[in-house]
Amino acid sequence: AQSVTQLDSHVSVSEGTPVLLRCNYSSSYSPSLFWYVQHPNKGLQLLLKYTSAATLVKGINGFEAEFKKSETSFHLTKPSAHMSDAAEYFCVVSARGSQGNLIFGKGTKLSVKP
Amino acid sequence: NAGVTQTPKFQVLKTGQSMTLQCAQDMNHEYMSWYRQDPGMGLRLIHYSVGAGITDQGEVPNGYNVSRSTTEDFPLRLLSAAPSQTSVYFCASSSPERTNYGYTFGSGTRLTVV
């Protein structure tokens, strides 16, 4: 069985400071992992994906995530937060044998203070 | 523009009414899924389909019905709406070759059952 745990339901940072959103996963297979972002009252946008290539994955808008198999983690980071980064972020796993269906974490709401 | 189209964007139903949420994609994707999003719960899989004529249940299928008569369309039917079905519904599509690259999501349908 696969599962995803986002360790913080809410993260607040000041503009210009680093962002860290934490995600741990559990999977019986080698997983594909994703981060999606959802701005208020909007749909879901793919930020980045890990598919067993490089363990450090770069995404859009300066975000990146590192796949650490030994820690079963896939934390999302950004060196310097921008006001426009305020949104909800979902860590997602898709594993073989599940027809590619996605299992979502409960989400982390990121607030950015001026 | 290519993508996943959901209609309607907003809907208010009375308890006991039935309705169909429409989802169409023009990318020739085999995989299509329906998710519901509730505060603090992330997105949960309702039903999914791996091709025309093939559907299966996800995590929260009760009260919902689906069919897949064409590759393009995957409607979600609420048989007898209940207040517990108040949620935001997202349709998503992908293909077997692309599941490692993430799903494409529609913009969502916000449903309120009173």
Side-chain angles (χ1 to χ4, degrees), chain B:
Chain B
N1 289 337
V4 178
T5 302
Q6 289 184 238
T7 55
K9 292 191 183 304
F10 302 93
Q11 183 71 49
V12 179
L13 284 180
K14 293 183 179 179
T15 297
Q17 285 185 316
S18 63
M19 80 159 294
T20 300
L21 308 185
Q22 301 291 346
C23 176
Q25 52 92 7
D26 57 2
M27 298 170 285
N28 203 32
H29 284 170
E30 292 94 326
Y31 292 172
M32 295 187 75
S33 306
W34 275 103
Y35 295 85
R36 61 177 287 173
Q37 182 180 24
D38 302 294
M41 301 292 290
L43 276 74
R44 293 178 292 169
L45 182 65
I46 304 171
H47 284 286
Y48 65 97
S49 169
V50 298
I54 306 170
T55 64
D56 207 345
Q57 297 181 351
E59 180 185 356
V60 288
N62 291 341
Y64 306 96
N65 212 349
V66 292
S67 60
R68 186 96 180 270
S69 56
T70 67
T71 299
E72 295 78 20
D73 300 299
F74 191 44
L76 178 72
R77 296 182 188 84
L78 279 70
L79 308 172
S80 177
S84 61
Q85 294 179 303
T86 293
S87 188
V88 181
Y89 292 84
F90 287 97
C91 180
S93 74
S94 185
S95 61
E97 311 83 58
R98 288 191 53 80
T99 52
N100 283 343
Y101 298 91
Y103 273 67
T104 301
F105 283 84
S107 57
T109 295
R110 187 174 294 272
L111 176 68
T112 302
V113 182
V114 297

Side-chain angles (χ1 to χ4, degrees), chain A residues 14-34:
Chain A
S14 297
E15 190 174 22
T17 64
V19 175
L20 170 64
L21 305 183
R22 299 182 294 165
C23 173
N24 287 348
Y25 71 91
S26 171
S27 177
S28 306
Y29 302 93
S30 295
S32 295
L33 292 158
F34 311 88

Side-chain angles (χ1 to χ4, degrees), chain A residues 38-103:
Chain A
Q38 185 180 35
H39 288 91
N41 299 313
K42 299 290 186 184
L44 291 127
Q45 181 182 19
L46 181 65
L47 265 183
L48 50 79
K49 56 187 180 286
Y50 166 76
T51 57
S52 75
T55 56
L56 183 61
V57 181
K58 294 188 185 300
I60 61 173
N61 300 334
F63 284 94
E64 62 182 37
E66 186 171 8
F67 173 72
K68 291 187 177 179
K69 186 175 181 179
S70 61
E71 299 176 11
T72 62
S73 69
F74 190 56
H75 301 334
L76 182 70
T77 60
K78 183 174 181 177
S80 176
H82 192 273
M83 295 297 291
S84 61
D85 295 327
E88 189 155 25
Y89 292 79
F90 293 97
C91 183
V92 182
V93 64
S94 170
R96 259 184 289 154
S98 65
Q99 288 81 40
N101 284 321
L102 304 177
I103 298 165

